[in-house]
Amino acid sequence: MILNMKKIVFTVVLLAMCLTLVAQKKTVDEQQSSAKEEMLKRIYEAQVSGNDSDFYQAHQTFMNYLVQQQDWNTYYRTWMNRVIYEVNHKRFHRAYAEIHRLTEDIKERHQDQYLYMANMSLGFFFNGRSQPEMGEKYFRRALQGIDGEKDPVAYFNVYLSLAQSLSFKHPAEAMACLDSLPQQMLQNPMYESGVLGYRCIIANKMNDYSSFYNYFSQYDSIRTHLPAQFNAANLEQVMVCHSLMQKDYQQALAWCDSIEVPMIATELRINVFEKMGAWEKAYRAYELKDSLQNIDERESLEQHILDLSNDIDRFQAEQEKAEMRRIQLFVVGLMALAIIGLLIGLLVYRQKKNRRLKEQFLQLQEARRRTEAGEAIRRAFVGTIQEKLKSPIRVLRSYARVFNNPNFLLKPEERAKRYTDILTAAQSIESLMDPVLDSYAQDASGITEEEKQICINALRAPLLTLINTAELIVDEDGQIPHDEYIQLRDDVCREAYHVATSIHQLVLFSLYGDDVPTPKPDKIGLNEVARSILNSYDLHPSSIYKNRTLDKEFTTSVPDDVMVNFSPLLQELLNCLLDNADKYATGGSLSMNCYADVDGTYAISISNEGPVIPIADAERIFEPFVRLSADEPSLGIGLPLARRLAVSMGYNIVLDLKYDKGARFVVTGI
């Protein structure tokens, strides 16, 4: 039987946690400590319910109590349960940080006999990340540091977890590992039934039917005769295995329905359908499994991005504190040097001054190194966000391009699938929008809170409109009247184009905000690249301008054999100018012209027919988030991005003040 690794980790770890908590509860009963019992009960209830706030509060309260009592064994067990909790919720960044803190705490308190708990935590961590070989490595290390006679519960838990790591690729070794469990622990029906259940799963995976029925008979006997002491952690999976061996497929499916974890239930149904030969149902179950995996991966990614953002914030705060300390040291040193200069004389003063200048130089070098390191982290972070945004932006642009064609029609039964794709892409962009804005706030220039609010208002409204409209079309399932549906489709087309373009430009503006020169490694024909960029540019959706007809026109006075140094960013630059010209054109042509400049370089101009930009605003329009009209539905980032990209490639952009038919922008220095 094929089981999902992370869900098996959850099941086995939950068993280990139960055993540990039972052992702790027995200790509490023996000590007759009602306060300790109540705190332990709160942790267990919050852990099972998955309420983060309650769990963290109860966990910290109990940890503080254990420090006061100097009960280090229970203290580090409780800390390890915190790691397991984070792993079960796929918060691996937090889990790893907790393992590091746990290890350091053990060393600082000189409690080296508990280092095996750090290795156990690493074993749970790697099992949760689908790396059983690494999990096996650290569980074996943990075994080396445990005294099995003094701590049989820990010895039992490590052997059980080691068997779980081995079961994925070496089930025979996993079974042998279970044979090594301390026999005195198996005298307890709760421990024995938990292990027998897991033996049944492994025996089924090995197709060892004889062993399966042997273990199942013992397992079922405890369930029947000692229900109060029976461990039901793996009951549903064992019963599915048993029903399959009996070829009672309907009973197997009934047991699958009783499993609360969707992924485990789905994988078990796949196995049942395959045994039944119901291949169509198995295929649908595989599709559901893929969907659940995608949801898990997206949630894990969002959590990972959030943790990375928090790390960057902490790094920036540390830089600010370090800068403040340097300033304080400088002031104190300056005052000391002034006093020494007055007392000792000009010669000593000059020596101190030279020494101070040297120290300042070293500090400046260190500050520059830290700044460069921080900028590298920021660019890597923005680059990661850019990669995650490529797919949803591509989806929105593709659908905007298709829906812009009035002859393109969708059958009612096709709408749900198409608009579900749009909805998923829009929701992905919404989940990453705050990290995008935060990353831009941390670049070389930065933005104010007011400018950040402008970004939010300019992006949130069309994004929510897009999401709500797509959800409406999906929920109606083809029942919307045709005229109303066409209007909704126009809204989706318009907002999809606006959101995709704005987010793409905002990420590029942050990514290239550190004035680092952009290399131009390739040689290409000027006319060829300019003509290709214009031809590949998609005009704004017709739904934005109901009564406008706009053509594209390319002219050149440059010979076709003229070659120039080329960077792919030139296309992004020209697309920004084309987007601006398209947005404000009232008709006529969207024109691109190539010509030779007087200094021996070449220039590209892009013009439209429409409103003329006032001379007073000729430079102001290149500032971020500037909109000439407060009612303008624009982010105000296209022209500033174009200039930023031009500067990075050694070009310049200006507004042609002599052109009076609309607006013409000229890229020079090519």
Side-chain angles (χ1 to χ4, degrees):
M1 179 177 297
I2 301 173
L3 298 179
N4 180 275
M5 183 168 193
K6 291 185 179 179
K7 299 307 178 182
I8 294 179
V9 170
F10 176 84
T11 303
V12 175
V13 168
L14 181 60
L15 173 62
M17 288 160 45
C18 290
L19 298 177
T20 301
L21 289 171
V22 167
Q24 290 175 340
K25 190 175 185 304
K26 287 184 178 180
T27 302
V28 170
D29 292 337
E30 291 170 0
Q31 296 176 349
Q32 298 181 348
S33 174
S34 59
K36 186 175 181 181
E37 183 177 12
E38 181 62 28
M39 286 186 285
L40 187 60
K41 180 181 178 182
R42 286 180 56 199
I43 290 178
Y44 179 71
E45 291 174 349
Q47 191 164 329
V48 173
S49 68
N51 187 310
D52 287 349
S53 178
D54 290 349
F55 176 77
Y56 292 145
Q57 182 178 2
H59 180 271
Q60 190 58 51
T61 301
F62 191 46
M63 293 284 281
N64 293 338
Y65 170 82
L66 294 173
V67 170
Q68 294 177 358
Q69 300 297 316
Q70 294 190 353
D71 184 355
W72 303 120
N73 187 293
T74 309
Y75 176 78
Y76 291 120
R77 286 184 186 277
T78 306
W79 200 333
M80 185 171 63
N81 282 344
R82 166 70 177 268
V83 174
I84 295 172
Y85 182 84
E86 301 293 0
V87 170
N88 286 344
H89 288 79
K90 301 185 293 295
R91 294 190 284 255
F92 300 110
H93 184 88
R94 297 186 188 178
Y96 191 81
E98 288 297 327
I99 294 171
H100 178 74
R101 290 178 53 218
L102 168 63
T103 305
E104 293 300 317
D105 190 89
I106 291 174
K107 292 179 179 179
E108 289 176 2
R109 298 185 191 276
H110 303 290
Q111 301 290 334
D112 293 352
Q113 68 272 26
Y114 298 114
L115 279 174
Y116 75 88
M117 293 191 185
N119 286 315
M120 283 182 68
S121 299
L122 284 169
F124 292 133
F125 173 84
F126 285 110
N127 273 9
R129 290 179 63 89
S130 301
Q131 295 176 274
E133 295 85 358
M134 293 297 294
E136 174 190 352
K137 172 183 174 181
Y138 284 100
F139 284 129
R140 290 191 184 279
R141 286 188 180 180
L143 282 174
Q144 296 174 1
I146 299 177
D147 188 334
E149 295 182 358
K150 293 183 178 179
D151 197 348
V153 174
Y155 204 63
F156 182 90
N157 287 344
V158 177
Y159 256 117
L160 187 64
S161 300
L162 176 59
Q164 184 266 324
S165 296
L166 291 168
S167 66
F168 297 100
K169 294 185 179 180
H170 309 287
E173 293 183 27
M175 192 69 78
C177 190
L178 292 178
D179 294 336
S180 301
L181 291 173
Q183 293 302 311
Q184 66 270 28
M185 298 295 298
L186 297 178
Q187 295 174 4
N188 185 318
M190 179 180 177
Y191 289 74
E192 183 182 11
S193 57
V195 173
L196 285 170
Y198 197 55
R199 283 183 182 274
C200 289
I201 294 173
I202 298 176
N204 180 75
K205 186 175 183 181
M206 297 170 63
N207 295 319
D208 187 350
Y209 301 125
S210 174
S211 296
F212 176 86
Y213 283 113
N214 178 35
Y215 298 135
F216 182 79
S217 63
Q218 300 176 57
Y219 180 81
D220 194 52
S221 175
I222 297 175
R223 183 167 73 103
T224 303
H225 299 100
L226 299 171
Q229 302 179 55
F230 176 71
N231 189 319
N234 295 317
L235 174 62
E236 292 84 359
Q237 297 180 56
V238 174
M239 296 309 296
V240 171
C241 296
H242 181 260
S243 299
L244 282 177
M245 289 190 179
Q246 299 294 322
K247 295 186 178 181
D248 188 351
Y249 302 121
Q250 296 304 319
Q251 185 62 42
L253 290 174
W255 278 108
C256 291
D257 293 339
S258 66
I259 297 177
E260 297 180 357
V261 182
M263 180 62 77
I264 294 179
T266 302
E267 291 184 337
L268 290 172
R269 289 191 187 99
I270 290 172
N271 197 40
V272 176
F273 290 143
E274 288 179 346
K275 295 287 187 181
M276 294 172 61
W279 305 113
E280 182 177 355
K281 292 182 179 180
Y283 174 76
R284 292 176 182 173
Y286 270 114
E287 288 187 325
L288 177 59
K289 173 188 172 182
D290 292 341
S291 175
L292 293 172
Q293 286 179 334
N294 289 336
I295 292 173
D296 278 352
E297 290 172 0
R298 188 181 72 181
E299 292 175 351
S300 181
L301 173 63
E302 291 172 353
Q303 185 63 46
H304 187 62
I305 290 177
L306 179 61
D307 289 339
L308 285 176
S309 179
N310 291 336
D311 285 348
I312 292 175
D313 291 341
R314 287 194 293 271
F315 179 80
Q316 187 177 18
E318 291 174 359
Q319 282 187 309
E320 292 173 355
K321 291 179 180 179
E323 182 65 25
M324 182 62 68
R325 286 195 295 269
R326 284 195 294 271
I327 293 174
Q328 292 173 346
L329 289 173
F330 175 78
V331 173
V332 172
L334 185 62
M335 294 176 61
L337 287 173
I339 295 173
I340 293 174
L342 291 174
L343 295 175
I344 300 177
L346 182 60
L347 181 60
V348 176
Y349 171 76
R350 287 180 178 178
Q351 292 176 343
K352 294 294 184 180
K353 182 178 180 181
N354 291 338
R355 186 180 305 162
R356 186 175 74 252
L357 290 175
K358 182 178 180 180
E359 291 175 354
Q360 290 176 341
F361 176 73
L362 294 175
Q363 290 175 356
L364 288 174
Q365 283 187 322
E366 178 64 13
R368 180 178 180 181
R369 186 190 66 78
R370 289 178 176 269
T371 301
E372 290 175 350
E375 187 60 25
I377 292 174
R378 187 196 67 79
R379 290 198 71 177
F381 176 65
V382 177
T384 300
I385 294 178
Q386 183 186 38
E387 288 299 317
K388 301 308 175 186
L389 284 171
K390 280 184 179 179
S391 178
I393 287 176
R394 188 183 304 112
V395 170
L396 294 186
R397 281 183 169 172
S398 298
Y399 278 106
R401 185 183 300 113
V402 172
F403 288 174
N404 190 34
N405 181 359
N407 297 322
F408 177 77
L409 298 176
L410 275 175
K411 296 178 181 179
E413 59 269 20
E414 294 177 332
R415 293 179 187 172
K417 173 63 172 67
R418 305 303 181 189
Y419 287 96
T420 297
D421 293 343
I422 295 174
L423 180 60
T424 301
Q427 290 172 340
S428 296
I429 290 177
E430 182 185 35
S431 68
L432 292 170
M433 194 168 71
D434 287 337
V436 169
L437 296 177
D438 290 340
S439 71
Y440 175 54
Q442 295 160 359
D443 77 358
S445 55
I447 58 176
T448 64
E449 283 299 319
E450 181 180 0
E451 291 170 336
K452 182 176 179 180
Q453 193 61 45
I454 291 174
C455 293
I456 293 175
N457 294 338
L459 293 174
R460 188 77 71 183
L463 188 58
L464 291 179
T465 299
L466 176 60
I467 292 174
N468 292 335
T469 305
E471 286 180 340
L472 175 61
I473 295 175
V474 171
D475 292 339
E476 288 296 328
D477 196 24
Q479 302 303 314
I480 302 175
H482 179 73
D483 291 341
E484 184 179 346
Y485 165 69
I486 293 299
Q487 179 60 45
L488 291 175
R489 195 179 85 169
D490 285 347
D491 294 342
V492 169
C493 179
R494 179 182 63 253
E495 303 303 350
Y497 186 93
H498 177 69
V499 168
T501 301
S502 299
I503 286 289
H504 178 68
Q505 291 180 350
L506 188 63
V507 172
L508 285 178
F509 193 78
S510 178
L511 195 59
Y512 294 93
D514 49 8
D515 297 329
V516 175
T518 299
K520 295 173 285 187
D522 301 320
K523 282 280 190 179
I524 195 169
L526 177 61
N527 290 337
E528 176 188 354
V529 69
R531 186 183 291 108
S532 174
I533 292 172
L534 178 62
N535 291 337
S536 63
Y537 174 75
D538 291 321
L539 295 173
H540 284 191
S542 58
S543 59
I544 299 178
Y545 305 107
K546 293 291 186 182
N547 302 316
R548 186 190 76 171
T549 301
L550 190 64
D551 298 320
K552 294 188 288 186
E553 180 182 19
F554 177 80
T555 59
T556 181
S557 59
V558 178
D560 285 341
D561 59 352
V562 170
M563 308 294 287
V564 296
N565 295 323
F566 174 75
S567 166
L569 288 184
L570 179 61
Q571 180 170 359
E572 298 289 352
L573 186 160
L574 295 179
N575 278 341
C576 289
L577 298 181
L578 288 168
D579 182 72
N580 183 270
D582 185 6
K583 186 185 304 180
Y584 297 104
T586 57
S589 297
L590 190 64
S591 301
M592 178 183 289
N593 180 39
C594 299
Y595 60 93
D597 217 337
V598 294
D599 60 356
T601 61
Y602 297 94
I604 300 176
S605 68
I606 294 175
S607 59
N608 68 357
E609 296 177 20
V612 178
I613 299 175
I615 296 178
D617 296 321
E619 279 300 313
R620 184 166 167 264
I621 56 177
F622 290 101
E623 298 175 6
F625 314 112
V626 168
R627 297 175 294 178
L628 299 185
S629 172
D631 299 328
E632 184 178 330
S634 171
L635 186 59
I637 203 70
L639 291 177
L641 172 60
R643 174 163 283 184
R644 179 170 284 191
L645 294 176
V647 171
S648 74
M649 291 183 286
Y651 306 151
N652 189 28
I653 295 181
V654 295
L655 174 68
D656 187 353
L657 301 179
K658 297 179 181 180
Y659 186 77
D660 59 359
K661 296 181 181 179
R664 177 160 65 190
F665 293 91
V666 183
V667 182
T668 61
I670 299 175

